[in-house]
Amino acid sequence: MSGKIFISHSSKDKQIVSAFVDKILNLGLGIDRDDIFYTSATDTGVKSGEDFKSAIKENIKNSICVIQIITENYKASEICMNEMGAAWVLSNNVIPFVFSNFRFENVGFIHNNTHILKLDNAEDLFKFQDDHPELYGERKIKQSNYHTQVNEFLGLVSGNNLRYGGSYFR
């Protein structure tokens, strides 16, 4: 992989985004954590002593793609809005995700013509895998495993196990 996958998200959505990173990217697609820049986890984010803003800028600029998890929390965050704009300018591969209950008109100017995937929809998670083989390189993805990980992720998302911002996602 020529760059890392940058996960743009609100830290308030950490639980649900961590489940996406673990179930879909790590276990489902076999993407190593070293190939992901995700600031809500200590092993994938900004290193101690590193300038936070510079790290975000460099990781967006050098990423293989930027995955945006757009929620109400994301839209309310100045940092997330800066990341969205930076990705629009610096990245040729931006993949936005929303939840089914998120109003598409709230996504904003940058993505008003973009095909946006739903994070809580199995068909969209399979489309994500089909459309972006550049993320997992030459690895052969075992469909039975990916199917299992998608179902487990959706079970977590639809259950009361994950917090979405300040409340449980249902």
Side-chain angles (χ1 to χ4, degrees), residues 8 15 18 32 35 39 58 64 82 94 97 101 103 112:
S8 180
Q15 285 186 315
S18 291
D32 192 278
D35 292 328
T39 58
E58 287 306 308
I64 188 171
N82 288 329
V94 178
F97 279 95
N101 65 354
R103 298 176 57 144
N112 65 357

Side-chain angles (χ1 to χ4, degrees), residues 10 13 16 68-77 80-81 84 96-112 114 116-121 124 157 164-165 169-170:
S10 169
D13 299 324
I16 223 154
Q68 297 170 332
I69 309 296
I70 303 169
T71 64
E72 290 86 3
N73 292 323
Y74 187 95
K75 293 291 290 191
S77 167
C80 292
M81 291 294 86
M84 182 184 274
F97 279 95
V98 296
F99 288 100
S100 293
N101 65 354
F102 193 78
R103 298 176 57 144
F104 282 96
E105 60 268 15
N106 292 341
V107 173
F109 168 78
I110 289 175
H111 291 303
N112 65 357
T114 305
I116 298 173
L117 298 171
K118 294 180 189 113
L119 196 61
D120 55 344
N121 180 285
D124 281 3
V157 168
Y164 169 63
F169 181 79
R170 298 185 211 283

Side-chain angles (χ1 to χ4, degrees), residues 132-160:
H132 296 285
E134 74 278 6
L135 302 182
Y136 49 87
E138 300 297 318
R139 283 186 298 288
K140 179 163 174 40
I141 303 304
K142 298 212 182 262
Q143 291 305 309
S144 59
N145 177 57
Y146 189 69
H147 189 269
T148 298
Q149 298 309 321
V150 165
N151 285 335
E152 287 182 10
F153 173 73
L154 293 175
L156 290 171
V157 168
S158 65
N160 288 330

Side-chain angles (χ1 to χ4, degrees), residues 31 37 51 57 78 90-91 105-106 118 140 146 153:
I31 298 169
F37 184 81
D51 179 88
K57 178 182 173 184
E78 181 180 354
L90 298 173
S91 180
E105 60 268 15
N106 292 341
K118 294 180 189 113
K140 179 163 174 40
Y146 189 69
F153 173 73

